[in-house]
Amino acid sequence: MSAQPPDGAPSPDSFASVFDVYEVRRDDGRVLYFGDPETDRETLMETVWPAFRERGYEVRLARRTGELVLVAEPHDAADDGGVPWTNVALFVATIASTLFVGANWYYVDPFSPEVVQALPFTVAVVGVLAVHEFGHYAMSRYHDVDASLPYFIPFPSLFGTMGAVIRMRGRIPSRKALFDIGAAGPLAGLVAAVAVSAVGLLLPPVTVPPEIVNSASAVEVQFAYPPLLQAIAAVLGEPLSYSDPSKSISPVVMGGWIGMFVTFLNLIPVGQLDGGHVLRSLVGEHADRVAPLVPTALFALAGYQWFVADAGDTAGIWVVWGVIATVITFAGGVDPVDDSSLDARRVAVGVLTFVLGALCFMPVPIEIVG
């Protein structure tokens, strides 16, 4: 217990105008400043954050035993320089799950050496997701925002994964940083998705075994193709489907399809989604007025698909995302420390990002026909 912080930590005098410190403690690497606020919480944090960040600390306002305290933690405390075993394990598990599922796309036994034929599918899917997340990671590092390496999510579903995420810690310093971090993932992932789609379309089709083609009990999964993927196929002069039921497009194309669908979903403009970050950067606090409209639009889309377009159970995906968007909306978005408006160049890129996201939209992405 002391009246002064350790060497390197900000002096209470540097922010005395907004927080009157009466006690300083050290707590397992953290520095705790107990005191009384002299202004509202938002102004307080906007004032103290730069002083702590300059000295290499992340700071937050908390309450302990009934007292208000600024909790300062070294900015690099979470980076211990060790091997990120959790990230590695999840990545390996995702490689395995996409390889296992990919074997079905190539009509080979996943428990035989032939499973290596599914490697192009695995590389396409995992590669697109990795580029998306490393876009976020690179911009986080550029703006000195503490971010984890990607956590891949293995899942033995239709694609073998439920995507990937990174975890960010601490405050976002500015709207500029929030925009760069939010937009970098979808834009980088979309570039990868376009490249993967083009490669997949140029690859020869996969041959469907006769016993599946002629089976009366076979279940067919039909995919809609977003306008962007259709445009790529038109430019290359390659088909997205074949009249011959014994031929199927290369599963590598599905890596691009997944990338585009993930881009659209991530650009839904609510809360902590990439679209929420981009919208918050573009319009500031006005984003809070837009966010509640998004779940309504998704539920309306589901209703249209169900009652008007007669899409049946496939409309349920928009019900699910309406619920997700509702939860994310109530969870709230990110408020950057510096809320200054973006420059014109970033505004233009932001608008383009949403336009590209719209080109990845499919009213009924997947339909199962049995």
Side-chain angles (χ1 to χ4, degrees), residues 224-227 301 304-305 309 311 314-315 317-318 360-366:
Y225 296 112
L301 175 60
Y304 174 82
Q305 293 297 332
T314 54
I317 187 172
W318 301 122
C360 297
F361 171 67
M362 297 163 281
V364 183
I366 302 173

Side-chain angles (χ1 to χ4, degrees), residues 40-296:
D40 62 273
R41 183 190 184 99
E42 183 177 349
T43 303
L44 168 62
M45 295 307 298
E46 287 180 357
T47 302
V48 304
W49 190 88
F52 280 88
R53 189 57 177 266
E54 183 180 351
R55 297 296 188 95
Y57 286 85
E58 285 290 346
V59 63
R60 57 186 173 85
L61 185 63
R63 185 177 291 276
R64 294 196 175 189
T65 63
E67 298 175 283
L68 283 176
V69 55
L70 289 172
V71 180
E73 185 171 4
H75 181 53
D76 59 353
D79 184 10
D80 58 9
V83 177
W85 290 114
T86 301
N87 304 77
V88 172
L90 288 172
F91 177 74
V92 171
T94 302
I95 293 293
S97 64
T98 53
L99 200 58
F100 179 84
V101 169
N104 295 320
W105 288 87
Y106 286 89
Y107 304 101
V108 298
D109 183 356
F111 299 105
S112 74
E114 291 183 316
V115 73
V116 297
Q117 295 183 35
L119 275 174
F121 173 80
T122 292
V123 172
V125 174
V126 176
V128 169
L129 295 175
V131 169
H132 179 116
E133 295 305 326
F134 274 105
H136 290 312
Y137 181 81
M139 281 292 100
S140 297
R141 289 300 189 184
Y142 176 78
H143 288 286
D144 199 25
V145 173
D146 190 9
S148 71
L149 288 168
Y151 292 90
F152 286 85
I153 307 172
F155 189 73
S157 60
L158 192 61
F159 306 114
T161 177
M162 292 186 68
V165 297
I166 66 170
R167 184 163 57 94
M168 291 189 294
R169 312 171 189 87
R171 299 280 312 266
I172 302 296
S174 63
R175 271 206 218 179
K176 174 182 173 181
L178 180 62
F179 175 82
D180 290 352
I181 294 170
L187 291 177
L190 203 52
V191 169
V194 169
V196 163
S197 299
V199 171
L201 287 166
L202 293 173
L203 290 174
V206 172
T207 300
V208 183
E211 59 269 22
I212 294 180
V213 174
N214 300 322
S215 173
S217 60
V219 175
E220 181 183 3
V221 180
Q222 296 181 347
F223 291 88
Y225 296 112
L228 182 58
L229 185 53
Q230 294 180 40
I232 296 170
V235 169
L236 295 176
E238 297 291 338
L240 284 168
S241 62
Y242 296 90
S243 57
D244 184 351
S246 66
K247 291 184 178 180
S248 176
I249 61 170
S250 169
V252 171
V253 176
M254 298 315 302
W257 187 95
I258 293 167
M260 293 179 192
F261 191 43
V262 166
T263 295
F264 172 78
L265 295 178
N266 272 284
L267 284 175
I268 292 175
V270 291
Q272 298 282 350
L273 291 180
D274 296 341
H277 292 162
V278 173
L279 183 66
R280 177 64 177 79
S281 304
L282 291 174
V283 303
E285 294 181 351
H286 295 295
D288 293 338
R289 301 177 183 176
V290 177
L293 303 177
V294 176
T296 303

